[in-house]
Amino acid sequence: MRLLLLACLRAQTGNATTAARIQSHLHDAGHICVLKDASRCESLTEIANLTSADQFDAALAIHLYKGGRHLQGSRIPFGIIFGGTDINEDIRSEEKRRVMGAVLREARFAVAFTTEMKELAAAEWPDARKKIYVQYQGIRTTPTETFDWYRFLQNADIPADTDDLRVFLLICGLRRVKDPLYLVDVFSDWHRKEPSVHLGIIGPAVDPLLTTEIKEKIKRAPGVHLLQEMPQDDLHAAMRRCFAVVNSSISEGMSAAILEAMDLNIPVLARNIPGNAAIIKHKDTGLLFSDPQIWRKEKNKSPELESLAVSAVSDRCGLRLLTRPDLPIRKHLKAW
């Protein structure tokens, strides 16, 4: 079969990673899969002209609105893969919700990465329930073996000679739904007390205005660094050397960064939202928090994360990391 795969393909974004992985699997199965960047489509008729000219047998679109709307009225059968922000965020817009409902009615099938995502879509469009299938994402990491961690730290202005260095990485496109500023203050406060703690924010500047806000904010936030984008293989290598990966998103479909961290046996601290809770079992396969105050100073005693002996304790204040010598976090790495 000759398939068209329509998605927003900005480099180093979750949708682009997912699209490339799907394309690779389809090629391995003997099909031809052509990627098309939905964000570069100049009109809603462009895809119709493309499918007519290139004789595609079928199409797939990632994201019910951004990708799917270009397939409305398509002469070829198509399926939809929910992206996350379509069901979690765009559904709040009356116009987008109307368009997405029309796309879903035309689609032969739809794929949700989690049961929770399927239920959200089915609650909005009950007639589509039977055509929505749950398929959890697969993931593959390919860290560069020759990656220079110390050069990476140097480029990020993180002192490599700090004893017990603890670098946390927040990997996301710089856009509002990822809420990259959510943890800046608490990590900066933590760094002031524990200079070996650093937070690196890394991802493409999807929202230029927000990117400017982040740059201005971290000028006044020691210990927090906005890092340059890098090829995925190098990013995987950096993740493998970091202390933990954090996620602060307002909503998620299924975070590729979290899955990649798990595949690399790196601890994950993630905001307690449905998309994250669907893949993280609290205190088992990761730590979920509901408040940016993710650590607390005990009486004259700071949390000793450098000992790798931490336990997550949830209460109304959110997640606190407290020293618990009987629960070394590294003991659970193989499960992560």
Side-chain angles (χ1 to χ4, degrees), residues 9 27 33 38 50 108 118-119 127 172 176 189 212 280 285 289 305 313 315 333:
L9 300 177
H27 283 175
C33 181
L50 179 66
R108 297 291 183 92
K118 173 181 177 176
E119 291 304 316
D127 292 344
C172 64
R176 301 288 176 183
D189 289 344
T212 299
I280 295 174
T285 56
F289 61 88
L305 273 82
V313 179
D315 60 13
L333 277 178

Side-chain angles (χ1 to χ4, degrees), residues 137-201:
Q137 282 199 85
I139 206 72
R140 181 177 64 179
T141 53
T142 54
T144 305
E145 296 301 328
T146 57
F147 180 72
D148 191 333
W149 172 245
Y150 296 100
R151 182 179 292 276
F152 170 80
L153 295 176
Q154 183 180 40
N155 291 339
D157 291 326
I158 298 174
D161 57 349
T162 301
D163 292 338
D164 300 320
L165 180 65
R166 289 163 286 171
V167 177
F168 294 76
L169 289 181
L170 171 57
I171 302 162
C172 64
L174 304 184
R175 52 196 179 112
R176 301 288 176 183
V177 72
K178 299 299 182 179
D179 208 0
L181 291 174
Y182 188 66
L183 298 175
V184 168
D185 288 337
V186 69
F187 266 97
S188 188
D189 289 344
W190 191 357
H191 172 79
R192 290 184 179 97
K193 297 177 175 66
E194 300 285 342
S196 60
V197 171
H198 294 263
L199 173 66
I201 302 172

Side-chain angles (χ1 to χ4, degrees), residues 92-249:
R92 300 172 186 174
S93 163
E94 183 176 349
E95 173 60 20
K96 290 181 179 179
R97 186 171 64 249
R98 182 192 63 77
V99 171
M100 292 192 292
V103 172
L104 195 53
R105 283 192 295 273
E106 290 186 41
R108 297 291 183 92
F109 65 87
V111 175
F113 290 143
T114 67
T115 300
E116 290 79 4
M117 194 184 300
K118 173 181 177 176
E119 291 304 316
L120 285 173
E124 183 64 35
W125 301 291
D127 292 344
R129 176 180 288 276
K130 291 184 178 180
K131 68 167 69 173
I132 303 174
Y133 299 86
V134 176
Q135 175 63 60
Y136 293 101
Q137 282 199 85
I139 206 72
R140 181 177 64 179
T141 53
T142 54
T144 305
E145 296 301 328
T146 57
F147 180 72
D148 191 333
W149 172 245
Y150 296 100
R151 182 179 292 276
F152 170 80
L153 295 176
Q154 183 180 40
N155 291 339
D157 291 326
I158 298 174
D161 57 349
T162 301
D163 292 338
D164 300 320
L165 180 65
R166 289 163 286 171
V167 177
F168 294 76
L169 289 181
L170 171 57
I171 302 162
C172 64
L174 304 184
R175 52 196 179 112
R176 301 288 176 183
V177 72
K178 299 299 182 179
D179 208 0
L181 291 174
Y182 188 66
L183 298 175
V184 168
D185 288 337
V186 69
F187 266 97
S188 188
D189 289 344
W190 191 357
H191 172 79
R192 290 184 179 97
K193 297 177 175 66
E194 300 285 342
S196 60
V197 171
H198 294 263
L199 173 66
I201 302 172
I202 182 168
V206 180
D207 182 335
L209 181 60
L210 177 61
T211 301
T212 299
E213 290 180 26
I214 294 171
K215 290 178 179 178
E216 291 301 314
K217 177 76 171 181
I218 64 175
K219 287 179 181 179
R220 305 183 299 275
V224 180
H225 313 265
L226 183 59
L227 310 179
Q228 291 184 346
E229 294 178 59
M230 61 177 64
Q232 189 177 54
D233 293 353
D234 287 348
L235 179 59
H236 291 163
M239 292 169 67
R240 190 165 62 176
R241 295 295 303 272
C242 77
F243 185 85
V245 167
V246 297
N247 175 288
S248 59
S249 297

